[in-house]
Amino acid sequence: RHEPLEPFRERQNGGELDASRERLAAWARTASKAIGAPWPDMPDGIADRDADVWESLIAIAEAAGGDWPKAARSAALVLVRDAHERPASLGIRLLGDVRRILDRLGVDRVRSIELLHELIGLEDGPWGDLGGKGAIDSRFLGRTFDGYGIPAAHAIRFGPSIGVAKGWHRVDFADPWDRYLPEQPSPTVLTDKKSTKKEKK
């Protein structure tokens, strides 16, 4: 960590990288057929999305041989454990709170204004005064959701008492929930069958 490093300059050091690249390319050409045949066993405790991330790296370590397979598995265990122990990012916290709200309400769609009200009202949430800058707004939701591939609030029919308003369907959050949040059993969801039929027409 405290070892002095020589600055890298493409003009002066580029040849060294070219040689390393050629050696790696030559190794890859000979090892490509062996990598992932069969795919390596994953360490206990690494599964699902974590396994998808580490499987290829451990397969390369297996092909390299020597101490690399053991080192790769040890690194995977440490990094996966640290990632799970680290507090969730603000975006993932938002995804979790949205799911918690929709589960509690038991609905398959929610107005943006209602979702904001529910988020700000969470006693254990940061949304009422985020970073000392006041409550979140619809722009914050839009920016954060966009980073997870969630569409912007769109016109949805909420039944005769409300009519059409901007919001989200529960299914809009399904993919990021699957990717970023632990699996949970699907709750019973109340659907507005009448308005759903109208939307399909």
Side-chain angles (χ1 to χ4, degrees):
R1 177 179 299 177
H2 301 291
E3 181 180 352
L5 300 177
E6 180 182 345
F8 174 82
R9 297 291 302 278
E10 177 67 29
R11 177 173 55 81
Q12 296 175 339
N13 308 107
E16 300 173 17
L17 290 183
D18 290 340
S20 297
R21 182 173 61 248
E22 290 300 325
R23 288 197 298 271
L24 286 172
W27 176 83
R29 285 192 292 270
T30 59
S32 59
K33 294 182 179 180
I35 294 175
W39 285 103
D41 294 330
M42 302 302 295
D44 291 339
I46 297 183
D48 302 325
R49 189 164 180 265
D50 293 325
D52 291 337
V53 171
W54 280 96
E55 191 173 48
S56 297
L57 296 174
I58 292 178
I60 293 172
E62 291 277 8
D67 294 331
W68 287 110
K70 181 179 179 180
R73 285 179 169 83
S74 297
L77 287 170
V78 171
L79 293 174
V80 168
R81 181 195 62 206
D82 288 350
H84 284 278
E85 292 177 352
R86 190 182 308 133
S89 70
L90 200 61
I92 293 177
R93 171 68 184 273
L94 180 61
L95 290 177
D97 283 347
V98 169
R99 183 166 68 178
R100 183 156 57 113
I101 288 169
L102 294 184
D103 287 352
R104 177 170 55 80
L105 295 176
V107 296
D108 68 340
R109 65 197 70 188
V110 64
R111 291 177 295 158
S112 57
I113 189 172
E114 182 181 10
L115 183 58
L116 270 174
H117 175 77
E118 292 287 343
L119 285 166
I120 293 171
L122 289 176
E123 294 183 358
D124 60 345
W127 316 116
D129 187 16
L130 189 61
K133 297 181 180 179
I136 61 172
D137 56 19
S138 58
R139 289 174 297 178
F140 172 85
L141 288 185
R143 289 195 305 269
T144 308
F145 288 165
D146 182 65
Y148 293 94
I150 299 168
H154 46 284
I156 299 174
R157 186 175 298 279
F158 285 89
S161 61
I162 297 176
V164 176
K166 284 192 173 182
W168 293 273
H169 286 97
R170 184 184 181 92
V171 71
D172 292 330
F173 302 97
D175 181 63
W177 283 348
D178 287 343
R179 287 187 287 125
Y180 294 101
L181 299 179
E183 292 185 5
Q184 291 184 358
S186 299
T188 300
V189 176
L190 301 178
T191 59
D192 186 341
K193 295 181 179 179
K194 186 175 181 180
S195 61
T196 301
K197 289 180 179 178
K198 290 181 179 179
E199 288 178 2
K200 291 181 178 179
K201 290 183 179 180

